[in-house]
Amino acid sequence: MSVLRDPLGRVLFPDEAVAGLVARAEQALKTDDLDAAEAGFRAAQSRSPDHPRVAMGLAEARERAMVLAREALLRDAFDEASDRIALAERLGAPADRLEALRRAVKDRAEPSLETRLQRAMAIEATQPEAALADYLAVLARAPDNAIALAGRSRRMTALLADAESALDSGRAEDAAALMARVRSIDPAHLALTALAIRLGARAEDLPADAGAGTRGDSDAARDAARWRGLAEEALGRGALSEARRALDVAGQLDPSAAQQVILEARWQRAKSGASAQR
């Protein structure tokens, strides 16, 4: 009777509990209740690791999960597709197939460029920031899109007009914040230089911590502040190239800081002065 205690014996004479777990798991598999199927097969596996139906059942559940993920994707049921992919991953689906499915979900879930452009143009007058977000999303995927470039340009022009009005009315801090916003999106905008020079002349109207906010506690903001300190020190020595490099690094770390605009204005004035002396 020792055959009943070895692996072969467990296969030939499985205990009723394992048989029941497998049967319920198979039934769940037939109805596409894959979570229940996985749970049943896993439970059976824990009691009888060598049971021939367990590994086969888990493999079938894995393949079925991939099929259902693709079907959900075709119905634009993106959450369901993601859940099926996660299940397939738990069941050991190949990484390349999983990645292909995830990429397909992302591609279909992302609104088309045409959809984003139509929405941006429809709301630009009433929701300019939301429209700008759509224009920027289009440009991230299609940098040369003429409609998105024009939309972004209109918004940048409007922000700079607001910055100019703020300067005219003595609100230097508001002007700095608006210019920082433009610089973070379009650092090469032609109108920034002239406004930066004007702002530089009003730097005394800005608080020392202008632009500091919730980001001020972040590592990036602290690093940017250190680089701006180096830039300021270099400007004091007249080392314009050194200051330019430090400002570029600071701008990448924390482009929306108003202090960045102030130093950019100082750098521009110093550059203009150096050019005039030649």
Side-chain angles (χ1 to χ4, degrees):
M1 296 296 293
S2 62
V3 70
L4 297 178
R5 292 190 297 271
D6 62 24
L8 180 59
R10 288 195 296 272
V11 171
L12 294 176
F13 304 98
D15 66 63
E16 292 183 3
V18 171
L21 289 169
V22 169
R24 287 191 291 274
E26 289 179 332
Q27 183 59 36
L29 189 57
K30 289 178 182 178
T31 60
D32 286 336
D33 188 354
L34 300 186
D35 289 322
E38 179 195 19
F41 285 127
R42 296 289 192 198
Q45 188 179 49
S46 67
R47 298 191 59 154
S48 181
D50 302 313
H51 196 291
R53 183 61 186 126
V54 169
M56 188 182 302
L58 290 171
E60 290 176 10
R62 179 185 66 223
E63 293 304 313
R64 187 59 183 159
M66 302 283 276
V67 170
L68 293 178
R70 285 189 287 271
E71 291 178 358
L73 180 58
L74 293 175
R75 292 185 280 106
D76 289 341
F78 304 120
D79 289 342
E80 181 183 341
S82 296
D83 290 342
R84 299 298 191 184
I85 293 169
L87 174 59
E89 183 175 29
R90 290 201 306 272
L91 293 170
D96 57 339
R97 295 175 63 191
L98 291 169
E99 180 57 29
L101 274 173
R102 289 193 180 101
R103 190 163 52 248
V105 170
K106 182 179 179 181
D107 290 344
R108 282 186 71 96
E110 178 72 19
S112 68
L113 298 185
E114 182 179 357
T115 297
R116 279 194 177 274
L117 287 173
Q118 290 177 345
R119 182 172 63 192
M121 290 186 289
I123 65 175
E124 185 174 337
T126 56
Q127 302 177 57
E129 283 299 311
L132 176 61
D134 276 331
Y135 287 135
L136 294 178
V138 170
L139 291 172
R141 296 165 62 186
D144 297 326
N145 186 281
I147 296 176
L149 285 170
R152 183 186 69 175
S153 178
R154 287 191 296 273
R155 185 58 187 150
M156 297 300 96
T157 298
L159 287 172
L160 288 173
D162 290 343
E164 191 166 6
S165 296
L167 276 175
D168 290 340
S169 61
R171 293 180 289 111
E173 186 174 359
D174 291 343
L178 289 165
M179 291 170 64
R181 170 76 169 137
V182 173
R183 189 180 296 280
S184 69
I185 296 170
D186 186 9
H189 197 289
L190 294 176
L192 274 171
T193 298
L195 275 176
I197 291 173
R198 283 191 62 192
L199 179 65
R202 303 293 301 273
E204 67 276 7
D205 296 335
L206 288 161
D209 61 346
T214 56
R215 296 187 60 196
D217 294 331
S218 70
D219 291 340
R222 286 196 296 270
D223 289 342
R226 285 193 285 270
W227 281 103
R228 286 195 296 269
L230 292 173
E232 189 166 15
E233 189 273 335
L235 282 170
R237 292 187 286 106
L240 297 187
S241 296
E242 186 178 334
R244 180 70 265 162
R245 287 193 295 271
L247 283 173
D248 287 343
V249 175
Q252 292 174 1
L253 290 169
D254 189 12
S256 64
Q259 188 65 23
Q260 180 78 17
V261 178
I262 297 171
L263 288 174
E264 291 282 358
R266 282 187 57 189
W267 184 88
Q268 188 64 47
R269 291 168 63 194
K271 181 184 177 185
S272 298
S275 298
Q277 293 175 3
R278 290 174 185 168

